[in-house]
Amino acid sequence: MITLTLGTTPYPFGRALQWMHQLLEQEIITEPVFVQHGSTDIALLQAHERVSAAALLTAPELNEKISQSRLVISHAGQGSTRKLAAQNKSFVILPRLAKYEEHVDDHQLRFAEGVEQLGVTVCRNFDTLKKAVVSPPEPLNRELFSGPKLGDFLAQKYAPERVRKPVHPPVRSTLAQRYGG
């Protein structure tokens, strides 16, 4: 089985589904495919009998799908990439791109370029994805980073007791003083 996980952002990732459709149509993929699609419309893949899908899964449900897969194709989210690298699974990442309105900016592309240097396979085009489906990369079976997860880092950095009070008075007070309100 192949699992395609697109994450939970509100931006559709139609390019990933178009590539999967092509792989299924060309019979490059002849095995079951599970798609976690988030907000992406999966109408293009619904005609394929080998495809099953869900918008969202719990973490245990997604872990089960991943454990059953010979290859995981994932959006280039930091959490997903970090998790897949540590799970001893063959995976590739597809960065969402701003020019296709798949995200607000190209942070996934910049992240993908960084982890590519650590051995993660990045699929920037259809041919790279096709090659990975035919011959999946070896699992990394290691943590990519030794530091804290981004969410944990931000929670610690911006904990209420560490957040500084504003230096400037609130705008409303300043305007009221200035204009006698």
Side-chain angles (χ1 to χ4, degrees), residues 97-136:
L97 301 176
K99 71 180 180 181
Y100 300 121
E101 299 180 357
E102 297 164 345
H103 220 304
V104 296
D105 59 25
D106 286 330
H107 72 276
Q108 284 198 358
L109 178 60
R110 289 189 296 277
F111 173 74
E113 291 168 346
V115 296
E116 187 173 41
Q117 295 180 31
L118 301 174
V120 175
T121 300
V122 177
C123 297
R124 293 178 184 82
N125 57 55
F126 175 76
D127 291 333
T128 306
L129 179 60
K130 180 178 174 180
K131 181 180 175 184
V133 167
V134 171
S135 181

Side-chain angles (χ1 to χ4, degrees), residues 44-57:
L44 184 62
L45 295 183
Q46 288 177 325
H48 297 282
E49 63 185 35
R50 292 184 292 274
V51 175
S52 61
L56 301 172
L57 296 174

Side-chain angles (χ1 to χ4, degrees), residues 13-14 21 30 53 60 62 73 75 113 118 127 142 144 149 167:
F13 199 0
H21 173 71
T30 58
L62 184 57
I73 302 167
H75 68 113
E113 291 168 346
L118 301 174
D127 291 333
R142 64 182 170 88
L144 289 176
K149 294 179 182 176
V167 179

